[in-house]
Structures are given as structure tokens and as C-alpha cells.
Amino acid sequence: MTTRISNQTAITLADAVASQAHQVEIYAGAIPANISDTPGGTKLAEIALLSPAFSSAVDANPGGQASIIGNPGSLASAAGTATYFRVVDQSLSPVIDGSCGAVGSGAEMELEDISLVQNQSVVITSYTITMPEE
């Protein structure tokens, strides 16, 4: 049997996950197999998030979604092609890993540019945390 959650629970979970977000780390390379694994590849940028960093979760019918507020950014600390991200909390513990890509790519997080050089601006153009209802 599959565990199922209500739509209201999905909205509450999206809010809970979003409330932990403190910083986004952008990487080049393969995404780790598990959230508890040490990130591989090259860390390209660290982007501090606002507080709050996400809108209040809404009904995504089905599920709950919380969208990033604004277009946070920073400067790239290294050169490479951005392939994945890790959201961390204040203690730098992992919260979420996901794919990143250019605007319109359909990646979980979209960046203004994914081909980065050191000291180039790195800007998140869209990112939404989604918790499915089931």
C-alpha cells in the first residue's frame, strides 16, 4: 500500500521545507545519489536567500507549492556549467538537491545563465518547491 497525504498537508509541507532554506549552492557535475551525500563536482556559487526566501505555499491542485521571492544572486566563485543545486539550512545541512538549467529548460531551478566564469553574476530566475498530494 502507498502512503498518501492530503492537499492541505502538501501545502503545510511545502511551507515547512521553504522555511528551512537559507542558502543555495550551485554546482557543476553529477548530482549526488542521496541528499546526505557530500556534493561532488565544482561549487560554482553560493547564493544567500532572503528571510523569508519563499512565498507562503499555495494549493497547486494537486499538492502544495512555495515559490522563491525575487531573483536572488551572487558572483560565481569558479568557472563551469551549472548542472545542479543544493539548498542548505542555517547550519549548512542539506535540505533539497535538484537540477538547474537555463531559463526555459524545464529544470527544477532556472538560472539566468548556466555557463559561468569566475566573478560572473549568477541569478536564480525561478524556483518552486513542490510537495505532491497523493
Side-chain angles (χ1 to χ4, degrees), residues 3 7 10 16 22 28 35 41 44 52-53 57 61 91 105 113 131:
T3 301
N7 196 55
H22 175 70
I35 189 76
L44 302 175
N61 196 21
S91 65
S105 67
D113 190 356
M131 294 291 146

Coordinates of all heavy atoms in Angstrom, one line a residue, residues 3 7 10 16 22 28 35 41 44 52-53 57 61 91 105 113 131:
T3 N 1.6 5.2 0.9 CA 1.2 6.3 1.8 C 0.7 7.4 1.0 O 1.3 7.8 0.0 CB 2.3 6.7 2.7 OG1 2.8 5.5 3.4 CG2 1.9 7.8 3.6
N7 N -4.1 17.3 0.3 CA -3.6 18.5 -0.3 C -3.2 19.5 0.7 O -2.1 20.2 0.6 CB -4.7 19.1 -1.2 CG -4.1 20.1 -2.2 OD1 -3.1 19.8 -2.9 ND2 -4.6 21.3 -2.2
A10 N 0.2 18.7 2.0 CA 1.2 19.0 1.0 C 1.6 20.5 1.0 O 2.7 20.9 0.9 CB 0.7 18.6 -0.4
A16 N 6.9 24.2 5.3 CA 7.9 23.8 6.3 C 9.3 23.6 5.6 O 10.3 24.1 6.2 CB 7.5 22.4 6.9
H22 N 18.1 28.6 3.6 CA 19.0 29.7 4.0 C 19.9 30.1 2.9 O 20.2 31.3 2.7 CB 19.8 29.3 5.2 CG 20.8 30.3 5.7 ND1 20.4 31.5 6.3 CD2 22.1 30.3 5.6 CE1 21.5 32.2 6.6 NE2 22.6 31.5 6.2
A28 N 28.7 22.4 -10.6 CA 28.9 21.7 -11.9 C 29.2 20.3 -11.6 O 30.0 20.0 -10.7 CB 30.1 22.3 -12.7
I35 N 20.6 12.8 -0.7 CA 20.7 14.2 -0.1 C 21.8 14.2 0.9 O 22.4 15.2 1.2 CB 19.4 14.7 0.4 CG1 19.4 16.1 0.8 CG2 18.9 13.8 1.5 CD1 19.4 17.1 -0.3
G41 N 31.7 17.4 -7.8 CA 31.9 18.4 -8.8 C 32.4 19.7 -8.2 O 33.0 19.7 -7.1
L44 N 30.2 26.3 -7.8 CA 30.3 27.5 -8.7 C 29.9 28.7 -8.0 O 30.4 29.8 -8.3 CB 29.5 27.3 -10.0 CG 29.9 26.1 -10.8 CD1 28.9 26.0 -12.0 CD2 31.3 26.2 -11.3
P52 N 11.8 36.1 4.7 CA 11.7 34.7 4.2 C 12.2 34.7 2.7 O 12.2 35.6 2.0 CB 10.1 34.5 4.2 CG 9.6 35.9 4.1 CD 10.5 36.8 4.8
A53 N 12.5 33.5 2.3 CA 13.1 33.2 1.0 C 12.0 32.8 0.0 O 12.2 33.0 -1.2 CB 14.2 32.2 1.0
A57 N 3.2 28.9 0.9 CA 2.8 27.8 0.0 C 1.3 28.0 -0.4 O 0.5 28.4 0.4 CB 3.0 26.5 0.6
N61 N -2.9 22.2 -6.7 CA -4.0 21.4 -7.3 C -3.5 20.3 -8.3 O -3.7 20.5 -9.5 CB -5.1 22.2 -7.9 CG -6.4 21.4 -8.1 OD1 -6.6 20.4 -7.5 ND2 -7.2 21.9 -9.0
S91 N 22.6 25.9 9.4 CA 23.8 25.1 9.8 C 24.5 24.5 8.6 O 25.4 23.7 8.8 CB 23.4 24.1 10.8 OG 22.6 23.1 10.3
S105 N 14.4 25.9 -19.7 CA 14.9 24.5 -19.8 C 14.0 23.5 -19.2 O 14.1 22.3 -19.5 CB 16.3 24.4 -19.2 OG 16.2 24.6 -17.8
D113 N 22.0 32.3 -16.5 CA 23.0 31.7 -17.4 C 23.6 30.5 -16.7 O 23.8 30.6 -15.4 CB 24.1 32.8 -17.6 CG 25.1 32.4 -18.7 OD1 25.0 31.3 -19.2 OD2 25.9 33.2 -19.0
M131 N 5.4 20.0 -3.2 CA 5.1 18.8 -2.4 C 3.9 18.2 -3.1 O 2.8 18.8 -3.1 CB 4.9 19.1 -1.0 CG 6.1 19.6 -0.2 SD 7.3 18.3 -0.1 CE 8.8 19.2 -0.2

